[in-house]
Amino acid sequence: MIDHPFLGNAPKQLFIGGQWRDAASGETFDCINPSDASVLVKVARGGAADIDAAVAVARTAFDSAWRDWKPLDRQSLLLAVLARIEARFDDLARLETLDMGAPIARTSTFRRWIRQTFQYYAAQALSTRGDVMSNSVPGDFMSYSLKVPLGVVGAIIPWNGPLITQLWSICPVLATGCTLVLKPAEEAPLSALMMAEILQEAGVPDGVVNVVPGPGATAGAALAAHTGIDKITFTGSTATGRKIIEASASNIKRVSVELGGKSPDIVFDDVDLEAAARGAAMACFNNTGQICYAGTRLFVQRGIYDRFVEAVAEVGRSLRVGHSLDPDTQVGPLASRAQLDKVESYFDVARADGARIVSGGERLQGALGTGFFVTPTVIANAHNDMRIAREEIFGPVVTAIPFDDESEVVKLANDTVYGLGGGVWSRDVGRVHRVARDLRCGMTWANCYGVTDPGVTFTGAKQSGYGNKGGPWHLDEYLLNKTVWLNLA
Ligand code: NAI
Ligand code: MG
């Protein structure tokens, strides 16, 4: 039994209207530690009836004094939440590590990220403003825009980084005066439940943030289709994102979707080979490859292809794969058995399609054999039409594809249904800017990969979805931009 102050023996309950309660059905599910497949704790299995209850209290909270809180009071609340998170951060990071398997060395770095996020949204809380719009209507009319909180928001998040992902809805809700029903994934609901406790301790009014873990097909689908929800924000697979968009038609709710990816990472032959190889390796292996913008299609200019692929493979071999609580672990397990099965199946797909596995390509045996571990994997002899280059694997698997020149590689890189991230490595400044402009994706990184900051927009293109997270326009998605006409005569 793991010793953690939040876990205990009793099942974790749903958090609705400031109260902990069982699911209406009385059902629970097992929350699994992917490092050894042990059961961490049982969690109440929310369903449609629980979503109904949560939406109802979120509506009541939205219609309360909460909506009219002053900007300075919202700012103070965000900073109070931050202070409570900082006081309990070590437990929060450990819980996330136990629940979804990210190494403790990784989740510990979230301290800085979380602080900056709350500081940023605390500042944003003060900066909501409309505009006076000039008009040419005969007479004497004034017209202006007025931003008011949008209403009740539903957030459905995945399991690959819930501690971070949940903040993309919690912070804007607190900054604007919306209310929230958050449905974490069954694979990793614990950090969201502990966050609910922290929010309450920090003084977030009851009903403003509600957390209902449960299956996607029942709880998630009920939330997406609910007519009491004004906006749904979804992060997850493209297939499920499509269902969310369809379900939103029930009441024409606003939607933002951040979906899958098969992001290109392009390496030209003028790079510092070692630095670029390390960057390209971590662009994919970070978080065991379970990152939506992971650089999984590695395009390498032909002259350095063999050397570069070997250098990336060497980085992969050098990474320490291990139990997520081990402070020396660099690559933890995959988050679930289903994800392990899926990633393993792609090793066979790669071989069957004639690609060559240069390094990795195995499930870990021995002491770690009960967990969901695979080794960082580099695949060569590949081309852009192979399944391993087209489908989101969501594991530490990078597919290396050779190219000859810039215009060819931009075409190849864009030949995908996805458009989330993209990387370019080169010392040629003109080329870097051309490629950054021409890649059809939401974010491009040049001579780095995966850098993010709460003040900088995170967004996608094509079937990787739409909407912003972070940056100067995020709060607009939680605000209704009304127009007011005034007859001054
Ligand atoms: P998923 O997209 O189905 O799950 C994400 C969230 O959506 C979870 O909270 C789930 O409960 C919920 N959900 C599932 N079906 C739903 C429905 N019909 N209506 C409303 N909510 C629903 O992803 P899943 O099944 O966990 O993973 C499968 C694959 O999806 C992964 O192997 C990976 O390729 C991809 N994925 C991509 C992510 C990304 O950030 N790009 C994140 C998670 C998964
Ligand atoms: Mg788990």
Side-chain angles (χ1 to χ4, degrees):
M1 195 69 204
I2 293 271
D3 179 29
H4 188 287
F6 185 73
L7 286 179
N9 292 320
K12 306 311 296 183
Q13 295 171 296
L14 315 176
F15 187 75
I16 298 177
Q19 285 171 353
W20 296 96
R21 38 165 123 160
D22 292 334
S25 67
E27 289 175 20
T28 60
F29 63 92
D30 288 340
C31 203
I32 305 290
N33 177 353
S35 286
D36 57 14
S38 64
V39 177
L40 289 166
V41 69
K42 285 187 182 301
V43 175
R45 186 196 295 268
D50 305 297
I51 292 291
D52 277 345
V55 173
V57 301
R59 175 62 58 189
T60 304
F62 181 69
D63 288 334
S64 74
W66 165 248
R67 189 168 51 192
D68 301 320
W69 273 37
K70 302 293 183 201
L72 272 173
D73 296 327
R74 296 196 188 291
Q75 181 181 61
S76 300
L77 183 64
L78 279 154
L79 296 174
V81 172
L82 173 59
R84 277 313 293 157
I85 292 177
E86 296 212 299
R88 299 183 65 184
F89 178 78
D90 291 338
D91 287 337
L92 198 53
R94 221 168 126 248
L95 191 65
E96 178 87 338
T97 281
L98 285 166
D99 198 9
M100 58 72 61
I104 192 72
R106 173 179 169 82
T107 53
S108 299
T109 66
F110 294 168
R111 183 191 293 274
R112 179 182 68 89
W113 199 94
I114 289 173
R115 183 183 309 132
Q116 291 181 349
T117 298
F118 276 90
Q119 286 174 335
Y120 181 74
Y121 283 90
Q124 291 280 90
L126 301 186
S127 64
T128 299
R129 59 182 166 78
D131 292 295
V132 175
M133 296 175 279
S134 58
N135 66 74
S136 307
V137 174
D140 194 359
F141 287 89
M142 184 191 177
S143 43
Y144 64 93
S145 69
L146 183 67
K147 294 192 179 172
V148 298
L150 184 66
V152 181
V153 177
I156 299 175
I157 62 171
W159 36 263
N160 56 323
L163 178 52
I164 297 296
T165 313
Q166 63 187 272
L167 297 185
W168 291 123
S169 55
I170 290 172
C171 287
V173 157
L174 297 182
T176 55
C178 291
T179 59
L180 181 67
V181 177
L182 171 66
K183 194 209 79 68
E186 269 188 300
E187 292 84 352
L190 296 179
S191 62
L193 290 170
M194 183 167 164
M195 188 66 74
E197 196 173 274
I198 288 173
L199 295 173
Q200 190 169 47
E201 287 168 3
V204 174
D206 290 348
V208 168
V209 177
N210 308 279
V211 181
V212 184
T218 52
L223 188 58
H226 210 293
T227 54
I229 293 277
D230 299 294
K231 166 190 167 69
I232 193 104
T233 167
F234 172 77
T235 307
S237 65
T238 295
T240 301
R242 191 170 281 117
K243 291 184 193 166
I244 302 286
I245 294 167
E246 285 165 4
S248 75
S250 63
N251 66 332
I252 324 289
K253 61 174 67 65
R254 274 197 202 173
V255 188
S256 58
V257 282
E258 194 235 302
L259 309 175
K262 196 73 197 179
S263 297
D265 197 13
I266 304 171
V267 182
F268 288 93
D269 63 8
D270 62 344
V271 290
D272 170 344
L273 201 131
E274 235 167 77
R278 173 114 207 137
M282 297 322 291
C284 177
F285 299 151
N286 250 336
N287 208 36
T288 321
Q290 302 163 116
I291 296 187
C292 47
Y293 55 75
T296 49
R297 282 185 301 145
L298 179 60
F299 292 98
V300 185
Q301 205 158 15
R302 203 172 298 273
I304 60 166
Y305 181 82
D306 290 335
R307 268 194 307 151
F308 195 84
V309 167
E310 184 46 38
V312 174
E314 199 42 48
V315 175
R317 289 183 202 108
S318 75
L319 293 172
R320 197 179 150 119
V321 182
H323 195 291
S324 60
L325 281 181
D326 181 338
D328 294 327
T329 291
Q330 292 167 294
V331 175
L334 293 158
S336 67
R337 190 176 297 282
Q339 200 54 29
L340 172 68
D341 292 343
K342 176 175 171 182
V343 172
E344 266 197 295
S345 76
Y346 276 98
F347 299 150
D348 299 332
V349 168
R351 290 190 195 95
D353 287 351
R356 179 170 66 91
I357 296 183
V358 182
S359 62
E362 298 158 333
R363 183 176 173 185
L364 236 61
Q365 308 295 336
L368 293 170
T370 53
F372 311 143
F373 294 94
V374 294
T375 42
T377 302
V378 177
I379 301 178
N381 252 5
H383 55 80
N384 200 47
D385 294 329
M386 288 180 168
R387 280 184 62 199
I388 47 165
R390 303 205 79 76
E391 299 172 13
E392 185 178 55
I393 300 173
F394 228 55
V397 183
V398 62
T399 300
I401 302 166
F403 72 91
D404 291 302
D405 62 45
E406 183 183 319
S407 64
E408 175 205 8
V409 77
V410 168
K411 271 201 206 85
L412 284 172
N414 286 335
D415 180 12
T416 168
V417 297
Y418 295 114
L420 197 54
V424 50
W425 301 79
S426 172
R427 291 279 137 216
D428 179 336
V429 70
R431 180 153 71 189
V432 161
H433 283 288
R434 284 192 303 273
V435 173
R437 179 194 60 202
D438 293 341
L439 287 180
R440 301 292 300 155
C441 59
M443 297 164 291
T444 306
W445 290 281
N447 297 320
C448 61
Y449 201 94
V451 183
T452 61
D453 183 273
V456 179
T457 299
F458 185 107
T459 189
K462 295 158 74 178
Q463 291 186 35
S464 293
Y466 46 79
N468 299 303
K469 287 174 177 171
W473 307 292
H474 191 194
L475 284 201
D476 283 339
E477 300 187 4
Y478 289 75
L479 295 166
L480 181 60
N481 193 3
K482 300 176 58 160
T483 293
V484 181
W485 283 96
L486 207 67
N487 186 349
L488 302 178

